[in-house]
Amino acid sequence: MKALHIAIKDLLITLRDWQGMLIFLVMPMVLTAILGAAMNSNFTDAPSLGQFEMALIDEDDGELAVALRAVLDTPLLKSLIRVIEMTEAEAIDRIAAGKLQVALVVPQGFTSSVYAGNDASLMVLKEAGSSLRPMVVQGIANSFVEYVSAGRIAASLAVRQAMLGSSNIDPMQTAGHIVEQLHALILQFREEVAEPHRSLISAFQYYAAAMAVMFMMSAGGVGLESIAVEKRNLTWERLMASPTSPVYMILGKFLTVLLVNSLQFMVLMLGTTLLYKVSWGDNMLMVVAAGVCYAVAVSGLSLLVAALLPLSKAGLGVWEIGVQACAALGGSMVPLIIFPKVLQQMARLSPNFWGIRMFTALMGGETLQLTHVLPLLAIGTVALCIGAGHLVFKQRSA
Amino acid sequence: MILEVKNLSKSFKDKKAVDQISFGVKEGEAYGLLGPNGAGKSTTIGMIFGLLKPTTGEVVVNGFPLIKQPEQAKSCMGYVPQEIALYPELTATENLTYWGRMYGLGGAKLAQRVAEVLQIVGLSDRAKSTIETFSGGMKRRVNIAAALLHEPKVLIMDEPTVGVDPQSRNHILETVKKLNAAGLTIVYTSHYMEEVEFLCTRIGIIDHGKIIAEGTVPELRRIVGEVATLVLQVSSLPEGLLATLHGLSELNTVAATLEVLQITAGDAAQALAAVTQVLADYRVKLRSVDIKEANLEAVFLHLTGRALRD
Ligand SMILES: Nc1ncnc2c1ncn2[C@@H]1O[C@H](COP(=O)(O)OP(=O)(O)OP(=O)(O)O)[C@@H](O)[C@H]1O
Ligand SMILES: [Mg+2]
């Protein structure tokens, strides 16, 4: 209860100084508009449906090429990619003419190469300058090759069995077999790279989420600042002289950031919905719950930094630098897909990554999953525990 | 004993801020800690409230050892910090309500106590104004009010009148005096000896982290010995007058230069009565009298060779 009273008092002070909070509301709205408009073409021409054309050049004419066609024919990928078959020369012409952005080549001998246990790969041709779509195709190609290579023994066994059992090889059966397992892989791939559904959402949606997570973290500095002010004003001392355990003080500050962040999120969500017609998802309650989960991560981190850093202007400066770094690393500035693989992996260190992943999933029509919220809740709780432990220890040994 | 401080020491790095301080405060008493800047008053109070961890020693409040039962011990004390510890953006009522909650108050009782303490410090009419609009003296008064909400057994004040205009200062002193008269135990630190003399029944003089003398005001004065100096301007010095004055048992020493008598005595009032009687007998007119009582300033000077305030 005391923790809640501490937070309510902080919230009251924060709201009295509402001009100070304005920047955390206006800036993300403005940046969402600018970045959303600027990056829209990078996402998809039709914001609501991110389908694009891809040429398929089959020089192999083997079983695996058939299997690949079957993969591309799954509803999941069909909604994203419209496949047109043509020759390599045709594709190169079209790309040169600017009529096509990307082509996927199944080279001659691909199937036999894989069955023989040799290295084999699919080739992606792309228009110079476009990066996002070729990357999607490259991702699909890589997953496919990875799968069939890893499963090449099983595949060749299946083929041999088919050859022994009947004189006719049924490529469709083999494809069906692979697709079945590839489906799971693609789902996972879609999860990890988050590309297909990112393409299904508009740039405005993406940046509404990206800016919200960035500026919510920025507003987390309120927690640091209010601790610094309490120490300076000696209200912290007065509280420590009262029969209030330092644990309440820390929980109170955690709640302060949580409340400020949650309010901020709701304003941003309503603002982007009304002004930019951004759809955050079908279930408002779920979206708000997601916002609160992200706020938990920010609140925990704010306390952790407050505990570890000297509480001064410099401390706040370090927080702001951290906010920028997390934003860049986690995909708040530019979508992760244009980063190299290593950076895409490192993005997981940034709460922004998990926040954007969660919000874009909701925007793409998914429901809120444990895998969305757990990383954020874990960041928040671990940071809170370390931060609180450290602060209490510092207080006890003053 | 409401408050027992036993062998408290605090060192910052190699500097001893407080050095083996011990004192006890009885219920209803007003105990003063008098000492110059940097003597260790705030450090001592910080340790009493558990804000600083003592290097050695312990604090017991109303029978509760601070280390073992901090919440019970802290509940018995009201803390008036040396600086204003309030939220400037919040009103007096909002501040006091918040602090009341931190001491476990709530509901109608809390609202009633907030109104009462505002009454005590004379700020009922400013209840709804934010603290940032208050004068320095008014802030100090709210600073005190916040320590009274939970009806503590002992009110511990760290230089509550620093930087305050004389009017507010008098108001604060009168308020504290009244609270003490109503039975509240007070611990009051200051480097103003007038304040401590006015308020306190017992005083500890603190310097360089040590209590160098302790007692009631008369007890402390006795340390200096001769208590008061009387300077009298008289119309004449007839023969025999000095000899008669020397014979008075109420006086310690008598010196005369031209028409000025310089007398030291243990009790200024008794000495003056005796001297005026003698002067009347000799038909000498008294033109002016100046009594300089030995004060705590003199005691401090006597003990340390330094003035209380530089
Ligand atoms: N955190 C600290 N670190 C180092 N030295 C300190 C610290 N706090 C106090 N001191 C030193 O301890 C000594 C006692 O300080 P303290 O604040 O207790 O004095 P005080 O009697 O309250 O003085 P004042 O009348 O100026 O308030 C001083 O010499 C001071 O410089
Ligand atoms: Mg002090």
Side-chain angles (χ1 to χ4, degrees), chain A residues 1 5, chain B residues 97 100-101 104-115:
Chain A
M1 255 331 241
H5 288 303
Chain B
T97 304
R101 289 196 198 285
L105 300 180
K109 168 82 180 160
L110 175 59
Q112 180 203 333
R113 279 303 293 161
V114 169

Side-chain angles (χ1 to χ4, degrees), chain A residues 129-209:
Chain A
S130 71
S131 56
L132 213 60
R133 284 160 185 177
M135 220 166 256
V136 176
V137 173
Q138 187 70 61
I140 293 168
N142 290 349
S143 306
F144 182 80
V145 171
E146 232 166 77
Y147 176 79
V148 294
S149 304
R152 73 176 67 115
I153 295 165
S156 58
L157 270 179
V159 170
R160 212 165 295 158
Q161 211 170 29
M163 287 173 77
L164 288 175
S166 74
S167 54
N168 290 328
I169 300 166
D170 183 359
M172 284 317 289
Q173 196 189 330
T174 311
H177 192 65
I178 291 173
V179 163
E180 202 176 291
Q181 296 180 49
L182 204 60
H183 195 76
L185 191 94
I186 287 171
L187 271 177
Q188 186 196 336
F189 164 72
R190 183 188 148 143
E191 262 292 287
E192 278 178 8
V193 185
E195 187 51 34
H197 64 236
R198 187 167 297 163
S199 291
L200 291 173
I201 64 168
S202 73
F204 267 88
Q205 280 176 302
Y206 183 82
Y207 278 108

Side-chain angles (χ1 to χ4, degrees), chain B residues 12 15 17 36-43 82 159 191:
Chain B
F12 295 108
K15 185 184 161 50
N37 289 128
K41 304 181 294 291
S42 296
T43 307
Q82 186 169 348
E159 307 202 34
H191 59 256

Side-chain angles (χ1 to χ4, degrees), chain A residues 1-3 5-6 9-10 12-13 16 229-230 233-245 248-249 395-398, chain B residues 10 49 51-53 71 74-75 79 81 83-91 94 98-99 101-104 130 142-143 146-147:
Chain A
M1 255 331 241
K2 278 187 184 175
H5 288 303
I6 291 171
K9 172 261 301 165
D10 281 339
L12 200 60
I13 293 173
R16 291 253 156 102
V229 167
E230 297 233 25
N233 282 352
L234 298 184
T235 43
W236 180 282
E237 263 196 10
R238 196 197 271 275
L239 191 65
M240 290 306 125
S242 80
T244 306
S245 154
Y248 287 118
M249 178 62 155
Q395 194 63 40
R396 297 252 156 91
S397 56
Chain B
K10 179 73 185 179
F49 282 99
L51 305 173
L52 294 168
K53 195 177 165 192
E71 308 227 330
K74 288 176 184 181
S75 297
Y79 177 44
E83 314 288 336
I84 312 286
L86 300 166
Y87 301 98
E89 307 88 345
L90 301 184
T91 67
E94 285 165 346
Y98 170 72
W99 290 115
R101 289 196 198 285
M102 292 303 114
Y103 277 90
T130 55
V142 183
N143 208 32

